[in-house]
Coordinates of all heavy atoms in Angstrom, one line a residue:
K59 N 6.8 -3.0 -3.4 CA 6.5 -4.4 -3.8 C 5.7 -4.4 -5.1 O 5.7 -5.4 -5.8 CB 5.7 -5.2 -2.7 CG 6.6 -5.5 -1.5 CD 5.7 -6.1 -0.5 CE 6.5 -6.4 0.8 NZ 5.7 -7.1 2.0
R72 N -7.8 -4.9 -13.1 CA -9.3 -4.6 -12.6 C -10.1 -4.3 -13.8 O -11.3 -4.4 -13.9 CB -9.1 -3.5 -11.6 CG -10.5 -3.2 -11.0 CD -11.0 -4.2 -10.1 NE -12.1 -3.9 -9.3 CZ -12.9 -4.6 -8.5 NH1 -12.4 -5.9 -8.3 NH2 -13.9 -4.2 -7.8
K78 N -15.1 -7.2 -18.8 CA -15.7 -8.6 -19.2 C -17.1 -8.6 -18.5 O -18.0 -9.0 -19.2 CB -14.8 -9.7 -18.5 CG -15.3 -11.1 -18.9 CD -14.4 -12.1 -18.3 CE -15.0 -13.5 -18.7 NZ -14.1 -14.6 -18.2
A90 N -31.9 -10.6 -25.7 CA -33.3 -10.7 -25.4 C -34.1 -10.3 -26.8 O -35.2 -10.7 -26.9 CB -33.7 -9.8 -24.3
L110 N -37.8 -0.2 -47.1 CA -37.7 1.2 -47.3 C -36.3 1.6 -48.0 O -36.4 2.5 -48.9 CB -37.7 2.0 -45.9 CG -39.1 1.9 -45.2 CD1 -39.0 2.4 -43.8 CD2 -40.1 2.8 -46.0
L116 N -31.1 6.0 -53.8 CA -30.8 6.6 -55.1 C -29.4 6.2 -55.7 O -28.9 7.0 -56.4 CB -31.0 8.1 -55.0 CG -32.3 8.7 -54.4 CD1 -32.3 10.2 -54.2 CD2 -33.4 8.3 -55.4
V131 N -26.6 7.0 -33.2 CA -25.5 7.1 -32.2 C -25.6 8.4 -31.4 O -25.1 8.5 -30.2 CB -24.1 7.0 -32.8 CG1 -22.9 7.3 -31.9 CG2 -24.0 5.5 -33.3
M157 N -18.2 2.7 -16.7 CA -18.4 2.0 -18.0 C -19.8 1.9 -18.4 O -20.2 2.0 -19.6 CB -17.9 0.5 -17.8 CG -16.4 0.4 -17.7 SD -15.9 -1.3 -17.5 CE -14.1 -1.1 -17.4
L158 N -20.8 1.9 -17.4 CA -22.2 1.8 -17.7 C -22.7 3.1 -18.2 O -23.6 3.1 -19.1 CB -22.9 1.5 -16.4 CG -22.8 0.1 -15.8 CD1 -23.6 0.0 -14.5 CD2 -23.2 -1.0 -16.8
F159 N -22.1 4.2 -18.0 CA -22.6 5.5 -18.5 C -21.7 6.1 -19.5 O -22.1 7.0 -20.3 CB -22.7 6.4 -17.3 CG -24.0 6.0 -16.3 CD1 -23.7 5.3 -15.3 CD2 -25.2 6.4 -16.6 CE1 -24.8 5.0 -14.3 CE2 -26.4 6.1 -15.8 CZ -26.1 5.3 -14.7
F175 N -18.3 1.6 -44.4 CA -19.5 1.4 -45.3 C -19.5 2.4 -46.4 O -20.5 2.9 -46.9 CB -20.8 1.6 -44.4 CG -21.9 0.6 -45.0 CD1 -22.2 -0.5 -44.1 CD2 -22.5 0.7 -46.1 CE1 -23.2 -1.4 -44.6 CE2 -23.5 -0.1 -46.6 CZ -23.9 -1.2 -45.7
G186 N -30.0 -8.7 -50.3 CA -29.0 -7.7 -50.1 C -29.3 -6.6 -49.1 O -28.7 -6.3 -48.2
T189 N -29.7 -7.8 -45.5 CA -28.5 -8.0 -44.8 C -28.0 -6.7 -44.3 O -27.4 -6.6 -43.2 CB -27.3 -8.5 -45.8 OG1 -27.7 -9.8 -46.4 CG2 -26.0 -8.7 -45.2
V201 N -27.0 0.3 -29.5 CA -27.1 1.8 -28.9 C -28.3 1.9 -27.9 O -28.1 2.5 -26.8 CB -27.2 2.8 -30.1 CG1 -27.5 4.2 -29.6 CG2 -26.0 2.8 -30.9
T219 N -22.6 -5.6 -7.7 CA -21.3 -5.7 -7.9 C -20.5 -5.0 -6.7 O -19.4 -5.7 -6.2 CB -20.8 -4.9 -9.1 OG1 -21.4 -5.4 -10.3 CG2 -19.2 -5.1 -9.3

Side-chain angles (χ1 to χ4, degrees):
K59 294 179 182 179
R72 185 71 172 177
K78 185 176 180 180
L110 289 173
L116 302 175
V131 170
M157 290 179 176
L158 292 176
F159 290 96
F175 218 106
T189 302
V201 172
T219 305

